[in-house]
Amino acid sequence: MVAILLVLVYAATSFVVYDGVGSLTGACDPQDAANTPAAYSVRPGYDQAIADANLMPAPQDITFASRDPGMPGAKLAGWWIPQDATSPSAAPAVILVHGIYSCRREANVLVPAGMLHRAGFSVLLMDLRDHGDSEGDDRRFSGGTEEHLDVLGAYDWVVAQGVPADRIGVLGMSIGSMTALIAGGQEPGIAAVWADSAATTMDIAMGNFVVDQLKDPTGLSRFLVPGAMVWARLVAADELGKYNPIEELDAYGGRSVAFVHGALDPVLPSSMALTLHDRAVAAGATTPDAWIVAGAAHTEAVFMDPAGYEQRLVAFFSAALGAP
């Protein structure tokens, strides 16, 4: 009876964790709701001058389809800001992917987009399914198993504009960086990926995220993650650990990938960037040294060292995609 009770308690508690972490409202954070590429604000505590230096022209509102056959007809939302609207194929392009519970309106994707656009790149900022202005399927996070198909849908859209495949890259933030790495692993046409604050595997990312959300100093709540992953399969048919960034890197031979991480990241330790970098090197990828940014927490590198971020970001994509 005690054993049965413990199993039931574990099952119930792990469901609460899954439901809390995996449920999506679909809305942007209210702090970001009014942001556009032409006028946006940074979160409190960051320097507004960083945003003001990286404004962009008014974007083209676009919709595109995911590669996911389970979402026929669903529309994903994006902003397309080409260098030359009359000749979209003239410049290399970068797709920017936000993190979980976020959207394309958050400054941590708008700032690097502005840096790239000012340097001569076309940029596409997208909302993943069940986020922002995009339609969705079940309001559940799937650990990149479905979301990476949204990134590939954005990639297909950019290719359809005439941009050569070898001149298209992807930039991801947090969970968006993990999704970007998975997309690159599954689509060899993606020439380069910039991964900011990525984790090695989805189960580790979820475990650390649960510990952080619950403010659990013991870390014991991490043991609820396997149960939560089972609930994901039962409730939404999502296999959260099907794709893991560190394994996807094995397909990056001959392509470019870069890793950036805040030294003070309380959720995903910066050591993960070093581990991912070593795996990319072993796979034969072209990759600069992992950049660990002093004084930066999760996805804060672009705010803590904007000049260094811009220099490295533009240099990386110029080398990988061809200088604009």
Side-chain angles (χ1 to χ4, degrees):
M1 290 295 292
V2 171
I4 292 172
L5 181 61
L6 289 173
V7 170
L8 292 175
V9 169
Y10 179 83
T13 308
S14 60
F15 175 78
V16 171
V17 168
Y18 165 67
D19 198 48
V21 173
S23 295
L24 303 171
T25 66
C28 291
D29 191 297
Q31 297 179 90
D32 307 319
N35 285 348
T36 72
Y40 60 94
S41 300
V42 299
R43 299 285 180 87
Y46 299 136
D47 185 358
Q48 179 61 32
I50 298 171
D52 295 340
N54 290 290
L55 299 179
M56 292 165 277
Q60 299 176 19
D61 288 299
I62 66 165
T63 59
F64 58 94
S66 173
R67 270 197 200 176
D68 188 350
M71 288 183 64
K75 294 180 179 179
L76 302 179
W79 284 322
W80 173 237
I81 313 174
Q83 283 296 317
D84 183 352
T86 63
S87 182
S89 63
V94 178
I95 300 162
L96 292 100
V97 189
H98 61 80
I100 193 171
Y101 316 133
S102 182
C103 70
R104 59 189 157 139
R105 297 179 186 273
E106 188 170 350
N108 66 2
V109 290
L110 285 165
V111 169
M115 292 173 172
L116 288 166
H117 191 269
R118 189 150 41 82
F121 294 84
S122 297
V123 294
L124 189 157
L125 295 97
M126 62 175 294
D127 284 339
L128 294 168
R129 67 181 66 198
D130 295 316
H131 288 81
D133 297 318
S134 286
E135 296 177 356
D137 51 0
D138 57 10
R139 296 289 190 217
R140 297 281 182 177
F141 172 64
S142 72
T145 60
E146 295 172 344
E147 291 89 351
H148 82 277
L149 297 169
D150 302 345
V151 177
L152 296 182
Y155 167 81
D156 293 339
W157 188 92
V158 175
V159 170
Q161 308 315 300
V163 182
D166 62 358
R167 303 203 81 192
I168 301 173
V170 182
L171 178 154
M173 285 282 175
S174 186
I175 293 295
S177 68
M178 298 175 69
T179 302
L181 289 168
I182 294 168
Q186 296 298 306
E187 172 51 73
I190 292 175
V193 173
W194 175 277
D196 189 321
S197 306
T200 50
T201 65
M202 190 56 63
D203 60 339
I204 292 176
M206 283 187 63
N208 290 4
F209 185 69
V210 167
V211 168
D212 179 70
Q213 289 289 98
L214 297 179
K215 308 299 181 187
D216 172 17
T218 69
L220 292 176
S221 55
R222 184 176 284 107
F223 293 105
L224 295 170
V225 170
M229 296 177 80
V230 171
W231 279 114
R233 287 196 293 270
L234 295 175
V235 172
D238 291 331
E239 189 175 349
L240 299 186
K242 182 177 181 179
Y243 302 105
N244 286 301
I246 195 161
E247 295 160 358
E248 294 301 310
L249 287 171
D250 292 342
Y252 274 73
R255 291 185 288 157
S256 298
V257 60
F259 302 98
V260 182
H261 220 109
L264 303 182
D265 192 328
V267 183
L268 305 176
S270 60
S271 59
M272 290 185 172
L274 303 176
T275 302
L276 289 165
H277 170 267
D278 290 348
R279 185 72 167 251
V281 170
T286 299
T287 177
D289 290 341
W291 183 33
I292 310 301
V293 182
H298 192 60
T299 72
E300 284 189 341
V302 72
F303 301 113
M304 295 298 102
D305 186 359
Y309 201 101
E310 181 173 8
Q311 187 275 324
R312 291 169 184 264
L313 178 68
V314 171
F316 171 74
F317 279 119
S318 294
L321 308 181

